[in-house]
Amino acid sequence: MPALNGRIYELTDFPMEHQIRRLSIHCASATADIDSDLTIALFASVVKASAEVGVVYRLDTEAGLLEVVARQSTLTSPVTDFDTTLSGAASHWIEDLTEPVQGKPSRDQLFQELPEVTQHGLGCMLVAPLRGVGGLLGILTLGRRSESCEFDADAVGIARRSASLLSASIERDSLQQKLQERKLMERAKGILQSRRRLSEHQAYLFLRSESRRRRLPMVDLAREIIETQFRGPSGRRSRDPKKPAG
């Protein structure tokens, strides 16, 4: 059984799967920019820890989703898209992580469910939690193919420091995204107030109602309203009134 968080875990330590949520994992070809802070920090951690594979997952708490936002590999294995769902035990273990832990997937069941293990045939894994003020933001995984090449104390320290940098970057990006979404919402409400002669509160209620009816996130609905404003009734993009003609 894996030694995690300074103690020995048995699978019976975890609640039954139906009693806790199960995290989904999503990885698409389009991940972080090669020049992004996430990619640079990940590349540095892979090199310094002498790992062969590194992956940064960002946690969407509301959706219960771990999304791959950066990945690095020195191996020739093809990188493929994938979607999978972790078991309840593995999901609970990840959400409970507070310190970097390592294990051998061939012996430690909880590590076996990480997609990069199967994809790259990893024999040794190091998993570090990315934690911020509000809780878990995601995880950093580092892997090696050989089971005999365990990560030493220096590599664990590198993973811990890298996790701190990655957490700060994710929190900053999240704040920027929220600010951008707020701007979109305010602009969409302004359009609705003008078009439908609504108050600001009525415009918000309209957005919320349409979002639920169409099962579309409010920010996506806001983008749609703004784009429609510029296209105009004919579907053609109309001139932005803030820009001069010509």
Side-chain angles (χ1 to χ4, degrees):
M1 288 294 102
L4 308 174
N5 286 358
R7 57 167 290 197
I8 301 296
Y9 271 92
E10 297 288 341
L11 292 183
T12 52
D13 290 338
F14 298 103
M16 296 296 292
E17 288 197 13
H18 68 275
Q19 294 178 317
I20 60 176
R21 70 171 183 171
R22 299 174 62 182
L23 296 175
S24 297
I25 288 181
H26 174 69
C27 178
S29 298
T31 53
D33 249 2
I34 193 170
D35 294 326
S36 74
D37 291 343
L38 289 175
T39 302
I40 293 171
L42 175 61
F43 178 77
S45 63
V46 169
V47 172
K48 291 179 180 178
S50 297
E52 294 171 299
V53 176
V55 181
V56 178
Y57 294 88
R58 180 171 55 203
L59 174 65
D60 182 335
T61 305
E62 292 185 5
L65 176 69
L66 281 169
E67 183 175 14
V68 174
V69 291
R71 50 187 172 178
Q72 177 72 34
S73 173
T74 62
L75 303 174
T76 56
S77 304
V79 176
T80 58
D81 299 348
F82 53 78
D83 289 282
T84 187
T85 301
L86 299 175
S87 67
S91 301
H92 188 72
W93 163 57
I94 286 174
E95 292 192 308
D96 198 40
L97 284 176
T98 56
E99 288 291 328
V101 295
Q102 68 172 307
K104 298 177 180 180
S106 63
R107 301 178 188 176
D108 304 335
Q109 275 184 279
L110 298 175
F111 290 90
Q112 291 176 9
E113 298 189 42
L114 294 170
E116 58 268 38
V117 170
T118 302
Q119 188 175 27
H120 297 287
L122 300 179
C124 185
M125 288 285 296
L126 177 61
V127 180
L130 309 181
R131 288 196 167 272
V133 177
L136 186 69
L137 302 172
I139 57 172
L140 162 68
T141 70
L142 298 172
R144 295 170 178 164
R145 273 188 169 170
S146 174
E147 283 193 18
S148 62
C149 294
E150 294 185 357
F151 292 91
D152 59 20
D154 287 341
V156 173
I158 289 167
R160 185 180 288 109
R161 291 190 294 273
S162 296
S164 179
L165 290 173
L166 291 164
S167 297
S169 180
I170 287 176
E171 283 191 310
R172 184 201 61 213
D173 291 347
S174 177
L175 178 59
Q176 290 176 342
Q177 181 179 348
K178 287 178 181 178
L179 289 173
Q180 180 62 27
E181 289 179 354
R182 176 175 291 184
K183 289 179 181 179
L184 290 172
M185 290 290 294
E186 292 301 317
R187 192 170 184 183
K189 283 193 297 183
I191 292 171
L192 290 173
Q193 287 176 257
S194 175
R195 280 186 186 171
R196 297 172 175 262
R197 299 183 182 278
L198 303 176
S199 67
E200 182 179 359
H201 183 61
Q202 288 172 328
Y204 169 78
L205 293 178
F206 176 85
L207 280 170
R208 188 178 68 177
S209 175
E210 281 296 290
S211 171
R212 291 175 177 175
R213 183 181 70 83
R214 296 174 55 185
R215 297 182 179 179
L216 185 69
M218 287 181 68
V219 67
D220 290 343
L221 180 60
R223 286 193 186 94
E224 185 179 293
I225 291 171
I226 294 167
E227 289 172 1
T228 302
Q229 169 78 357
F230 284 113
R231 283 198 302 266
S234 65
R236 297 178 180 177
R237 185 177 177 86
S238 60
R239 181 174 62 84
D240 189 333
K242 295 179 182 179
K243 294 182 180 180

